[in-house]
Amino acid sequence: MLGALVLIGGVVLGLTSVADAALQRPLLTPASPKLDGLLQLEHPLYANYSVRVTESQFCDGVTRVYTGYIDLEAKHLFFYFFESRRDPASDDVVLWLNGGPGGSSAHGLFMENGPCRMAGPNGTERFEHSWNDFLNTLYLDQPVGTGFSYADHGEYVSSTYEASKDIAAFVAIFFHHFDNLKGRKFHMTGESYAGRMIPVFAAAVHDQNARLVKAGLAPINLDSIVLGNGCTNFMIMTLSYYDIQCEYQQDYGIPPIQTAQECSRIKQLVPRCERRLKTSCIDTYDKTDCLASLSFCADAFKDFWAKDDGYNPHDRTLPCKPYMGMDECYPIIKDISAYLNNPTTQATLGVDLAHSTFVAHNGSVQAMWEANADRVSFRAEDAIGALLDRGVRALVYVGVNDFVCNWARLSSIGTERMTLGVEWAQQEAYRRAPVRDWRVGDVVAGKVRSGGGMTFATVLDAGHLTPHDQPVRVLEVVRKWLLNGDM
Ligand SMILES: *[C@@H]1O[C@H](CO)[C@@H](O)[C@H](O)[C@H]1NC(C)=O
Ligand SMILES: *[C@@H]1O[C@H](CO)[C@@H](O)[C@H](O)[C@H]1NC(C)=O
Ligand SMILES: *[C@@H]1O[C@H](CO)[C@@H](O)[C@H](O)[C@H]1NC(C)=O
């Protein structure tokens, strides 16, 4: 019943015992009995796992970084862990996930909220507005098959619920291994499709606590979830694609994306799409019918995506090519891929050379999830409600120029509609709460509504990748809300 800690390449991490904890050592060294150079760990819930860690300062040149894998049987999940720039010994821990599914969290790390950003294809430079300014930050490539995470014999997962088991195991083992973090406040955050995954993942982590306590281990101190430009409810989002292309386009000060005739045609498809999704995916679930409904809705709105009106669907104020690969609109993604495919980088990070091909977004992972109708087969906001009822706070923020997981500058559609549909004991406090401006200094940075543990905030002048577009504003949202309880 032993999980061996295997060390590869790089620096061998502190072979200290729990008793040595007070001695000088990196703040996040694993505490494990030493056994002939192999660190043996036992975890009552997860018998067969290992942890492979390499230490470096690769990103901003100063921050201590741990990269590597947590091996869960035949699944190998790759992570980057950065100590806080402020006080790693007491600061909270935040997990960040990108979406897709199949999108590597390297997006978040190297172009949104990490300690460094790409400086061309060959290296990185310090980034001043990183979330590790005051948080210990963890980036995870998931589900397995994404980024550097891999499976030995095709043990992939194709749904949020399936993936949530791996995430709960990962989190339990991570906190067990980096024992200095035990009991530390933990926040689960992510973007886009992760806005759908995070509530379910967080519920799994919360539920697991009873088993951890029963086994004599510290529970995970899950404090909050944060969803950035989340596509939490795809039915609401899909229907909003009518509003946003036919009614609220003027919000963005750019010409209408559709003709009057086209809008009148799409308008009739909205209730049909809604009825079909509701009937076959929500009220009852029949995978074949649900997939057919999804395909009907995709056809109904496909002109929107196919149309090259010269603007970026991830940020309607920016010119870009039509909806192709994201790296067409954000060339920095090509730099991320070049950098992570570089053998020198991989050696620094301790990447397993047998599984070293990095793609920023693995389309075949996404295809597996699509084939399973994961995007509409359950209401992720019910997990938000269940977490709120258990004292886990929720923040939903959205960059207003995003069409994909949208809001609009002047109107409540998409994401905010989803929050108003969350059911929990204190939902009236949220629904009745006034919408007010929030500011960075004297400058209005967006709108906020807050009540009953839930906060919804818009961020002006930002698209789908809000921390990329407005890092200072998002850092302020996170600082105010995570650390000080409200905005
Ligand atoms: C542990 O996992 C490895 C990798 O899948 C497998 O080869 C091995 O048989 C497992 N051992 C046990 C005791 O389950
Ligand atoms: C990156 O490195 C390659 C290989 O050393 C070199 O050819 C290229 O000029 C470098 N690019 C930049 C932008 O520095
Ligand atoms: C992408 O995911 C598939 C499983 O869906 C996997 O077989 C493949 O190896 C992954 N590709 C990369 C480059 O990791």
Side-chain angles (χ1 to χ4, degrees), residues 190-213:
E191 185 173 272
S192 193
Y193 204 100
R196 187 163 173 75
M197 297 164 162
I198 289 282
V200 174
F201 291 177
V205 167
H206 188 275
D207 291 345
Q208 177 181 246
N209 275 344
R211 292 192 293 137
L212 290 175
V213 170

Side-chain angles (χ1 to χ4, degrees), residues 151-412:
D152 289 340
H153 317 287
E155 291 85 352
Y156 300 106
V157 295
S158 52
S159 76
T160 298
Y161 277 90
E162 229 186 315
S164 72
K165 294 182 189 140
D166 294 342
I167 302 301
F170 176 90
V171 169
I173 292 166
F174 181 83
F175 276 92
H176 188 59
H177 183 71
F178 293 99
D179 81 317
N180 308 49
L181 299 173
K182 265 183 197 132
R184 209 71 70 80
K185 271 191 189 163
F186 184 48
H187 310 274
M188 297 179 70
T189 75
E191 185 173 272
S192 193
Y193 204 100
R196 187 163 173 75
M197 297 164 162
I198 289 282
V200 174
F201 291 177
V205 167
H206 188 275
D207 291 345
Q208 177 181 246
N209 275 344
R211 292 192 293 137
L212 290 175
V213 170
K214 202 171 166 201
L217 298 180
I220 305 300
N221 186 3
L222 178 65
D223 186 64
S224 79
I225 58 170
V226 177
L227 317 179
N229 291 70
C231 274
T232 306
N233 183 316
F234 267 99
M235 188 171 96
I236 289 176
M237 212 54 79
T238 301
L239 299 172
S240 76
Y241 293 159
Y242 165 75
D243 306 61
I244 205 137
Q245 61 184 315
C246 289
E247 297 192 348
Y248 299 114
Q249 179 72 14
Q250 70 274 16
D251 283 13
Y252 300 89
I254 51 181
I257 193 170
Q258 301 290 8
T259 60
Q261 197 178 43
E262 185 62 6
C263 281
S264 64
R265 187 188 71 82
I266 304 175
K267 191 167 188 167
Q268 314 167 46
L269 299 176
V270 172
R272 290 180 204 163
C273 162
E274 179 170 18
R275 207 171 308 124
R276 290 190 63 161
L277 289 178
K278 200 167 172 306
T279 305
S280 60
C281 307
I282 315 271
D283 292 346
T284 60
Y285 178 67
D286 180 291
K287 188 159 136 183
T288 309
D289 285 354
C290 180
L291 287 171
S293 304
L294 271 175
S295 143
F296 171 83
C297 295
D299 281 351
F301 299 108
K302 79 168 183 299
D303 274 8
F304 164 43
W305 298 111
K307 210 165 190 132
D308 179 9
D309 75 338
Y311 289 93
N312 177 353
H314 293 91
D315 186 335
R316 293 306 293 167
T317 62
L318 293 182
C320 185
K321 293 180 184 142
Y323 189 70
M324 301 278 286
M326 269 186 81
D327 54 2
E328 295 301 324
C329 297
Y330 300 91
I332 188 174
I333 295 173
K334 292 177 176 159
D335 290 342
I336 296 172
S337 290
Y339 180 65
L340 291 179
N341 278 306
N342 182 322
T344 310
T345 309
Q346 295 184 347
T348 306
L349 300 182
V351 171
D352 188 329
L353 293 183
H355 304 273
S356 62
T357 304
F358 177 88
V359 295
H361 176 242
N362 187 337
S364 68
V365 168
Q366 175 150 350
M368 286 163 54
W369 287 52
E370 300 286 347
N372 218 12
D374 187 77
R375 59 170 55 207
V376 282
S377 60
F378 64 95
R379 275 171 43 99
E381 59 265 51
D382 290 339
I384 302 179
L387 288 165
L388 286 165
D389 277 334
R390 285 158 181 78
V392 178
R393 303 177 299 137
L395 167 65
V396 174
Y397 72 78
V398 55
V400 299
N401 297 335
D402 182 13
F403 264 29
V404 180
C405 304
N406 59 53
W407 196 75
R409 284 189 192 175
L410 304 177
S411 58
S412 158

